[in-house]
mmCIF file of all heavy atoms in Angstrom:
data_model
loop_
_atom_site.group_PDB
_atom_site.id
_atom_site.type_symbol
_atom_site.label_atom_id
_atom_site.label_comp_id
_atom_site.label_asym_id
_atom_site.label_seq_id
_atom_site.Cartn_x
_atom_site.Cartn_y
_atom_site.Cartn_z
ATOM 1 N N ASP A 1 210.013 102.463 7.733
ATOM 2 C CA ASP A 1 210.238 103.602 8.486
ATOM 3 C C ASP A 1 211.280 103.374 9.676
ATOM 4 O O ASP A 1 211.003 102.515 10.527
ATOM 5 C CB ASP A 1 209.007 104.201 9.178
ATOM 6 C CG ASP A 1 209.202 105.458 9.830
ATOM 7 O OD1 ASP A 1 209.262 106.565 9.302
ATOM 8 O OD2 ASP A 1 209.354 105.331 11.072
ATOM 9 N N PRO A 2 212.461 104.008 9.619
ATOM 10 C CA PRO A 2 213.464 103.727 10.636
ATOM 11 C C PRO A 2 213.052 103.824 12.122
ATOM 12 O O PRO A 2 213.306 102.946 12.984
ATOM 13 C CB PRO A 2 214.538 104.754 10.418
ATOM 14 C CG PRO A 2 214.413 105.134 8.961
ATOM 15 C CD PRO A 2 212.881 105.137 8.724
ATOM 16 N N ALA A 3 212.252 104.830 12.403
ATOM 17 C CA ALA A 3 211.794 104.994 13.716
ATOM 18 C C ALA A 3 210.784 103.857 14.189
ATOM 19 O O ALA A 3 210.890 103.321 15.305
ATOM 20 C CB ALA A 3 210.989 106.332 13.920
ATOM 21 N N GLN A 4 209.830 103.401 13.278
ATOM 22 C CA GLN A 4 209.059 102.311 13.618
ATOM 23 C C GLN A 4 209.788 100.941 13.632
ATOM 24 O O GLN A 4 209.397 100.068 14.455
ATOM 25 C CB GLN A 4 207.796 102.256 12.519
ATOM 26 C CG GLN A 4 206.963 103.533 12.677
ATOM 27 C CD GLN A 4 205.746 103.348 11.708
ATOM 28 O OE1 GLN A 4 205.001 102.374 11.744
ATOM 29 N NE2 GLN A 4 205.662 104.416 10.912
ATOM 30 N N LEU A 5 210.696 100.839 12.782
ATOM 31 C CA LEU A 5 211.588 99.629 12.880
ATOM 32 C C LEU A 5 212.230 99.515 14.198
ATOM 33 O O LEU A 5 212.378 98.459 14.833
ATOM 34 C CB LEU A 5 212.562 99.618 11.730
ATOM 35 C CG LEU A 5 213.553 98.477 11.643
ATOM 36 C CD1 LEU A 5 212.896 97.114 11.637
ATOM 37 C CD2 LEU A 5 214.511 98.681 10.469
ATOM 38 N N LYS A 6 212.778 100.620 14.701
ATOM 39 C CA LYS A 6 213.426 100.720 16.028
ATOM 40 C C LYS A 6 212.524 100.152 17.117
ATOM 41 O O LYS A 6 213.018 99.511 17.990
ATOM 42 C CB LYS A 6 213.963 102.094 16.284
ATOM 43 C CG LYS A 6 215.200 102.498 15.619
ATOM 44 C CD LYS A 6 216.487 101.889 16.314
ATOM 45 C CE LYS A 6 217.665 102.445 15.778
ATOM 46 N NZ LYS A 6 218.910 101.895 16.526
ATOM 47 N N VAL A 7 211.283 100.552 17.029
ATOM 48 C CA VAL A 7 210.298 100.187 18.155
ATOM 49 C C VAL A 7 210.266 98.605 18.027
ATOM 50 O O VAL A 7 210.283 97.947 19.153
ATOM 51 C CB VAL A 7 208.920 100.775 17.810
ATOM 52 C CG1 VAL A 7 207.945 100.108 18.756
ATOM 53 C CG2 VAL A 7 209.032 102.211 18.061
ATOM 54 N N VAL A 8 210.166 98.007 16.827
ATOM 55 C CA VAL A 8 210.058 96.503 16.817
ATOM 56 C C VAL A 8 211.410 95.837 17.244
ATOM 57 O O VAL A 8 211.402 94.859 18.004
ATOM 58 C CB VAL A 8 209.607 96.116 15.459
ATOM 59 C CG1 VAL A 8 209.466 94.580 15.310
ATOM 60 C CG2 VAL A 8 208.307 96.791 15.029
ATOM 61 N N GLU A 9 212.437 96.497 16.886
ATOM 62 C CA GLU A 9 213.733 95.929 17.252
ATOM 63 C C GLU A 9 213.885 95.857 18.821
ATOM 64 O O GLU A 9 214.343 94.930 19.349
ATOM 65 C CB GLU A 9 214.905 96.922 16.732
ATOM 66 C CG GLU A 9 215.250 96.654 15.326
ATOM 67 C CD GLU A 9 216.419 97.676 14.973
ATOM 68 O OE1 GLU A 9 217.428 97.424 15.418
ATOM 69 O OE2 GLU A 9 216.267 98.536 14.201
ATOM 70 N N SER A 10 213.509 96.971 19.484
ATOM 71 C CA SER A 10 213.564 97.062 20.901
ATOM 72 C C SER A 10 212.680 95.992 21.571
ATOM 73 O O SER A 10 213.084 95.414 22.514
ATOM 74 C CB SER A 10 213.166 98.401 21.407
ATOM 75 O OG SER A 10 214.068 99.352 20.895
ATOM 76 N N TYR A 11 211.491 95.758 21.045
ATOM 77 C CA TYR A 11 210.542 94.784 21.407
ATOM 78 C C TYR A 11 211.206 93.342 21.356
ATOM 79 O O TYR A 11 211.195 92.578 22.277
ATOM 80 C CB TYR A 11 209.300 94.805 20.685
ATOM 81 C CG TYR A 11 208.129 93.945 21.279
ATOM 82 C CD1 TYR A 11 207.024 94.629 21.899
ATOM 83 C CD2 TYR A 11 208.194 92.601 21.262
ATOM 84 C CE1 TYR A 11 206.027 93.856 22.363
ATOM 85 C CE2 TYR A 11 207.179 91.858 21.702
ATOM 86 C CZ TYR A 11 206.090 92.472 22.346
ATOM 87 O OH TYR A 11 205.106 91.764 22.858
ATOM 88 N N VAL A 12 211.764 93.054 20.247
ATOM 89 C CA VAL A 12 212.413 91.842 19.914
ATOM 90 C C VAL A 12 213.575 91.524 21.005
ATOM 91 O O VAL A 12 213.688 90.525 21.500
ATOM 92 C CB VAL A 12 212.942 91.611 18.490
ATOM 93 C CG1 VAL A 12 213.760 90.485 18.312
ATOM 94 C CG2 VAL A 12 211.686 91.599 17.539
ATOM 95 N N ALA A 13 214.425 92.504 21.071
ATOM 96 C CA ALA A 13 215.699 92.335 21.880
ATOM 97 C C ALA A 13 215.301 92.224 23.386
ATOM 98 O O ALA A 13 216.081 91.498 24.118
ATOM 99 C CB ALA A 13 216.543 93.644 21.746
ATOM 100 N N ALA A 14 214.128 92.752 23.788
ATOM 101 C CA ALA A 14 213.704 92.677 25.238
ATOM 102 C C ALA A 14 212.954 91.452 25.504
ATOM 103 O O ALA A 14 212.722 91.104 26.710
ATOM 104 C CB ALA A 14 213.026 93.858 25.625
ATOM 105 N N ASP A 15 212.512 90.724 24.548
ATOM 106 C CA ASP A 15 211.591 89.622 24.768
ATOM 107 C C ASP A 15 212.381 88.295 25.111
ATOM 108 O O ASP A 15 213.043 87.709 24.285
ATOM 109 C CB ASP A 15 210.735 89.337 23.499
ATOM 110 C CG ASP A 15 209.684 88.341 23.690
ATOM 111 O OD1 ASP A 15 209.686 87.685 24.728
ATOM 112 O OD2 ASP A 15 208.690 88.266 22.878
ATOM 113 N N GLU A 16 212.376 87.910 26.425
ATOM 114 C CA GLU A 16 213.101 86.814 26.885
ATOM 115 C C GLU A 16 212.422 85.459 26.566
ATOM 116 O O GLU A 16 213.010 84.392 26.758
ATOM 117 C CB GLU A 16 213.310 86.899 28.437
ATOM 118 C CG GLU A 16 214.205 88.112 28.798
ATOM 119 C CD GLU A 16 214.393 88.189 30.203
ATOM 120 O OE1 GLU A 16 213.782 87.342 30.961
ATOM 121 O OE2 GLU A 16 215.204 89.041 30.704
ATOM 122 N N ARG A 17 211.191 85.459 26.088
ATOM 123 C CA ARG A 17 210.464 84.253 25.665
ATOM 124 C C ARG A 17 210.382 84.074 24.164
ATOM 125 O O ARG A 17 209.710 83.144 23.709
ATOM 126 C CB ARG A 17 209.065 84.312 26.253
ATOM 127 C CG ARG A 17 208.946 84.110 27.725
ATOM 128 C CD ARG A 17 207.535 84.365 28.160
ATOM 129 N NE ARG A 17 206.553 83.590 27.426
ATOM 130 C CZ ARG A 17 205.359 84.017 27.127
ATOM 131 N NH1 ARG A 17 204.927 85.138 27.560
ATOM 132 N NH2 ARG A 17 204.490 83.218 26.450
ATOM 133 N N LEU A 18 211.107 84.962 23.441
ATOM 134 C CA LEU A 18 211.019 84.765 22.000
ATOM 135 C C LEU A 18 211.687 83.590 21.464
ATOM 136 O O LEU A 18 212.939 83.409 21.686
ATOM 137 C CB LEU A 18 211.597 86.107 21.279
ATOM 138 C CG LEU A 18 211.461 86.133 19.778
ATOM 139 C CD1 LEU A 18 209.993 86.195 19.384
ATOM 140 C CD2 LEU A 18 212.296 87.247 19.231
ATOM 141 N N THR A 19 210.998 82.695 20.952
ATOM 142 C CA THR A 19 211.458 81.323 20.505
ATOM 143 C C THR A 19 211.663 81.304 19.058
ATOM 144 O O THR A 19 212.599 80.655 18.507
ATOM 145 C CB THR A 19 210.563 80.277 20.893
ATOM 146 O OG1 THR A 19 210.391 80.241 22.365
ATOM 147 C CG2 THR A 19 211.091 78.797 20.553
ATOM 148 N N LEU A 20 210.886 82.096 18.274
ATOM 149 C CA LEU A 20 210.910 82.004 16.793
ATOM 150 C C LEU A 20 210.606 83.418 16.277
ATOM 151 O O LEU A 20 209.708 84.044 16.613
ATOM 152 C CB LEU A 20 209.809 81.014 16.284
ATOM 153 C CG LEU A 20 209.714 80.895 14.795
ATOM 154 C CD1 LEU A 20 210.937 80.397 14.118
ATOM 155 C CD2 LEU A 20 208.556 79.971 14.491
ATOM 156 N N LEU A 21 211.523 83.870 15.362
ATOM 157 C CA LEU A 21 211.307 85.128 14.602
ATOM 158 C C LEU A 21 211.086 84.688 13.119
ATOM 159 O O LEU A 21 211.965 83.992 12.580
ATOM 160 C CB LEU A 21 212.478 85.985 14.712
ATOM 161 C CG LEU A 21 212.602 87.101 13.805
ATOM 162 C CD1 LEU A 21 211.412 88.189 14.072
ATOM 163 C CD2 LEU A 21 214.000 87.928 13.935
ATOM 164 N N VAL A 22 209.949 85.148 12.566
ATOM 165 C CA VAL A 22 209.766 84.857 11.209
ATOM 166 C C VAL A 22 209.868 86.215 10.449
ATOM 167 O O VAL A 22 208.876 87.036 10.605
ATOM 168 C CB VAL A 22 208.350 84.148 10.942
ATOM 169 C CG1 VAL A 22 208.148 83.965 9.396
ATOM 170 C CG2 VAL A 22 208.286 82.921 11.691
ATOM 171 N N ASN A 23 210.892 86.428 9.685
ATOM 172 C CA ASN A 23 211.105 87.596 8.951
ATOM 173 C C ASN A 23 210.366 87.437 7.553
ATOM 174 O O ASN A 23 211.000 86.911 6.663
ATOM 175 C CB ASN A 23 212.574 87.930 8.791
ATOM 176 C CG ASN A 23 213.123 88.517 9.896
ATOM 177 O OD1 ASN A 23 212.689 89.426 10.553
ATOM 178 N ND2 ASN A 23 214.354 88.003 10.310
ATOM 179 N N ASN A 24 209.129 87.758 7.509
ATOM 180 C CA ASN A 24 208.402 87.482 6.241
ATOM 181 C C ASN A 24 208.066 88.760 5.414
ATOM 182 O O ASN A 24 207.794 88.747 4.230
ATOM 183 C CB ASN A 24 207.056 86.874 6.651
ATOM 184 C CG ASN A 24 206.088 86.712 5.571
ATOM 185 O OD1 ASN A 24 206.262 85.952 4.583
ATOM 186 N ND2 ASN A 24 205.002 87.575 5.635
ATOM 187 N N ALA A 25 208.004 89.907 6.143
ATOM 188 C CA ALA A 25 207.645 91.206 5.468
ATOM 189 C C ALA A 25 208.484 91.398 4.199
ATOM 190 O O ALA A 25 209.721 91.258 4.295
ATOM 191 C CB ALA A 25 207.624 92.275 6.404
ATOM 192 N N GLY A 26 207.834 91.755 3.154
ATOM 193 C CA GLY A 26 208.647 92.152 1.948
ATOM 194 C C GLY A 26 207.688 92.352 0.738
ATOM 195 O O GLY A 26 206.529 91.996 0.798
ATOM 196 N N PHE A 27 208.214 92.962 -0.216
ATOM 197 C CA PHE A 27 207.497 93.170 -1.512
ATOM 198 C C PHE A 27 208.355 93.223 -2.732
ATOM 199 O O PHE A 27 209.640 93.248 -2.593
ATOM 200 C CB PHE A 27 206.535 94.464 -1.439
ATOM 201 C CG PHE A 27 207.325 95.789 -1.504
ATOM 202 C CD1 PHE A 27 207.501 96.374 -2.813
ATOM 203 C CD2 PHE A 27 207.900 96.396 -0.446
ATOM 204 C CE1 PHE A 27 208.213 97.594 -2.936
ATOM 205 C CE2 PHE A 27 208.560 97.537 -0.531
ATOM 206 C CZ PHE A 27 208.750 98.134 -1.819
ATOM 207 N N GLY A 28 207.730 93.070 -3.950
ATOM 208 C CA GLY A 28 208.560 93.050 -5.063
ATOM 209 C C GLY A 28 208.071 94.102 -6.172
ATOM 210 O O GLY A 28 206.815 94.544 -6.067
ATOM 211 N N THR A 29 208.910 94.435 -7.127
ATOM 212 C CA THR A 29 208.504 95.299 -8.081
ATOM 213 C C THR A 29 208.904 94.648 -9.474
ATOM 214 O O THR A 29 209.757 93.895 -9.523
ATOM 215 C CB THR A 29 209.301 96.673 -8.053
ATOM 216 O OG1 THR A 29 210.636 96.433 -7.854
ATOM 217 C CG2 THR A 29 208.805 97.474 -6.817
ATOM 218 N N MET A 30 208.187 95.034 -10.577
ATOM 219 C CA MET A 30 208.437 94.510 -11.896
ATOM 220 C C MET A 30 208.596 95.672 -12.934
ATOM 221 O O MET A 30 207.837 96.667 -12.774
ATOM 222 C CB MET A 30 207.224 93.586 -12.348
ATOM 223 C CG MET A 30 207.224 92.289 -11.654
ATOM 224 S SD MET A 30 208.465 91.108 -12.216
ATOM 225 C CE MET A 30 207.971 90.816 -13.957
ATOM 226 N N GLY A 31 209.453 95.471 -13.833
ATOM 227 C CA GLY A 31 209.773 96.550 -14.838
ATOM 228 C C GLY A 31 211.156 96.698 -15.188
ATOM 229 O O GLY A 31 212.079 96.029 -14.470
ATOM 230 N N ARG A 32 211.529 97.491 -16.176
ATOM 231 C CA ARG A 32 212.918 97.775 -16.369
ATOM 232 C C ARG A 32 213.410 98.740 -15.367
ATOM 233 O O ARG A 32 212.791 99.776 -15.133
ATOM 234 C CB ARG A 32 212.970 98.540 -17.818
ATOM 235 C CG ARG A 32 212.604 97.562 -18.989
ATOM 236 C CD ARG A 32 212.724 98.353 -20.317
ATOM 237 N NE ARG A 32 212.180 97.380 -21.459
ATOM 238 C CZ ARG A 32 212.987 96.591 -22.031
ATOM 239 N NH1 ARG A 32 214.265 96.296 -21.670
ATOM 240 N NH2 ARG A 32 212.532 95.849 -23.005
ATOM 241 N N PHE A 33 214.506 98.490 -14.806
ATOM 242 C CA PHE A 33 214.970 99.086 -13.671
ATOM 243 C C PHE A 33 215.155 100.674 -13.840
ATOM 244 O O PHE A 33 214.666 101.476 -12.914
ATOM 245 C CB PHE A 33 216.351 98.598 -13.218
ATOM 246 C CG PHE A 33 216.926 99.318 -11.981
ATOM 247 C CD1 PHE A 33 216.435 99.031 -10.725
ATOM 248 C CD2 PHE A 33 217.989 100.174 -12.152
ATOM 249 C CE1 PHE A 33 216.942 99.728 -9.651
ATOM 250 C CE2 PHE A 33 218.519 100.856 -11.082
ATOM 251 C CZ PHE A 33 217.943 100.659 -9.769
ATOM 252 N N HIS A 34 215.567 100.991 -15.060
ATOM 253 C CA HIS A 34 215.775 102.479 -15.309
ATOM 254 C C HIS A 34 214.458 103.212 -15.471
ATOM 255 O O HIS A 34 214.426 104.414 -15.461
ATOM 256 C CB HIS A 34 216.625 102.683 -16.461
ATOM 257 C CG HIS A 34 215.950 102.284 -17.873
ATOM 258 N ND1 HIS A 34 215.891 101.049 -18.267
ATOM 259 C CD2 HIS A 34 215.352 103.061 -18.755
ATOM 260 C CE1 HIS A 34 215.334 101.013 -19.435
ATOM 261 N NE2 HIS A 34 214.918 102.264 -19.734
ATOM 262 N N GLU A 35 213.345 102.463 -15.595
ATOM 263 C CA GLU A 35 212.037 103.164 -15.627
ATOM 264 C C GLU A 35 211.218 103.130 -14.238
ATOM 265 O O GLU A 35 210.177 103.672 -14.199
ATOM 266 C CB GLU A 35 211.190 102.468 -16.714
ATOM 267 C CG GLU A 35 211.785 102.611 -18.138
ATOM 268 C CD GLU A 35 211.063 101.710 -19.093
ATOM 269 O OE1 GLU A 35 210.236 100.866 -18.711
ATOM 270 O OE2 GLU A 35 211.244 101.943 -20.303
ATOM 271 N N LEU A 36 211.706 102.404 -13.365
ATOM 272 C CA LEU A 36 211.032 102.304 -12.017
ATOM 273 C C LEU A 36 211.310 103.412 -11.100
ATOM 274 O O LEU A 36 212.375 104.101 -11.195
ATOM 275 C CB LEU A 36 211.472 100.975 -11.324
ATOM 276 C CG LEU A 36 211.111 99.674 -12.117
ATOM 277 C CD1 LEU A 36 211.666 98.459 -11.374
ATOM 278 C CD2 LEU A 36 209.513 99.538 -12.139
ATOM 279 N N ASP A 37 210.405 103.676 -10.080
ATOM 280 C CA ASP A 37 210.608 104.724 -9.182
ATOM 281 C C ASP A 37 211.670 104.317 -8.133
ATOM 282 O O ASP A 37 211.645 103.357 -7.427
ATOM 283 C CB ASP A 37 209.247 104.902 -8.419
ATOM 284 C CG ASP A 37 209.214 105.959 -7.352
ATOM 285 O OD1 ASP A 37 210.401 106.464 -7.037
ATOM 286 O OD2 ASP A 37 208.204 106.266 -6.789
ATOM 287 N N VAL A 38 212.819 105.066 -8.165
ATOM 288 C CA VAL A 38 213.926 104.693 -7.440
ATOM 289 C C VAL A 38 213.697 104.794 -5.869
ATOM 290 O O VAL A 38 214.274 104.018 -5.122
ATOM 291 C CB VAL A 38 215.163 105.649 -7.772
ATOM 292 C CG1 VAL A 38 214.974 107.068 -7.266
ATOM 293 C CG2 VAL A 38 216.445 105.030 -7.259
ATOM 294 N N ASP A 39 212.741 105.647 -5.474
ATOM 295 C CA ASP A 39 212.357 105.708 -4.093
ATOM 296 C C ASP A 39 211.593 104.371 -3.636
ATOM 297 O O ASP A 39 211.935 103.864 -2.535
ATOM 298 C CB ASP A 39 211.481 106.899 -3.753
ATOM 299 C CG ASP A 39 212.257 108.178 -3.965
ATOM 300 O OD1 ASP A 39 213.508 108.216 -3.625
ATOM 301 O OD2 ASP A 39 211.613 109.203 -4.215
ATOM 302 N N LYS A 40 210.914 103.810 -4.467
ATOM 303 C CA LYS A 40 210.170 102.616 -4.256
ATOM 304 C C LYS A 40 211.189 101.440 -4.217
ATOM 305 O O LYS A 40 211.020 100.528 -3.349
ATOM 306 C CB LYS A 40 209.140 102.283 -5.185
ATOM 307 C CG LYS A 40 208.197 101.108 -4.806
ATOM 308 C CD LYS A 40 206.961 100.991 -5.662
ATOM 309 C CE LYS A 40 206.062 99.903 -5.128
ATOM 310 N NZ LYS A 40 204.774 99.669 -6.017
ATOM 311 N N GLU A 41 212.189 101.591 -5.054
ATOM 312 C CA GLU A 41 213.228 100.528 -5.129
ATOM 313 C C GLU A 41 213.957 100.541 -3.743
ATOM 314 O O GLU A 41 214.370 99.432 -3.216
ATOM 315 C CB GLU A 41 214.167 100.713 -6.325
ATOM 316 C CG GLU A 41 213.533 100.567 -7.678
ATOM 317 C CD GLU A 41 212.859 99.203 -7.869
ATOM 318 O OE1 GLU A 41 213.624 98.165 -8.038
ATOM 319 O OE2 GLU A 41 211.629 99.022 -7.882
ATOM 320 N N GLU A 42 214.301 101.753 -3.243
ATOM 321 C CA GLU A 42 215.017 101.839 -2.060
ATOM 322 C C GLU A 42 214.163 101.237 -0.895
ATOM 323 O O GLU A 42 214.639 100.637 -0.080
ATOM 324 C CB GLU A 42 215.318 103.281 -1.757
ATOM 325 C CG GLU A 42 216.036 103.448 -0.480
ATOM 326 C CD GLU A 42 216.407 104.941 -0.083
ATOM 327 O OE1 GLU A 42 216.533 105.736 -1.042
ATOM 328 O OE2 GLU A 42 216.531 105.232 1.119
#
């Protein structure tokens, strides 16, 4: 969600003690691309 992502961005940018950022969030999908839900792919 763009609005919720903006909140975390602002937090990260303002944190003067941030030493390490771990970008771990993610998920995958399986199947023939033309059969998958395009909104989920996005």
Side-chain angles (χ1 to χ4, degrees):
D1 180 81
Q4 295 184 54
L5 174 57
K6 278 283 190 181
V7 170
V8 182
E9 283 182 68
S10 297
Y11 191 109
V12 168
D15 191 346
E16 296 181 354
R17 286 174 48 213
L18 186 65
T19 304
L20 175 62
L21 169 64
V22 181
N23 282 312
N24 169 72
F27 73 92
T29 51
M30 285 288 291
R32 296 179 184 274
F33 178 74
H34 69 278
E35 297 173 347
L36 296 172
D37 180 350
V38 71
D39 290 333
K40 190 170 184 179
E41 297 301 287
E42 179 181 334

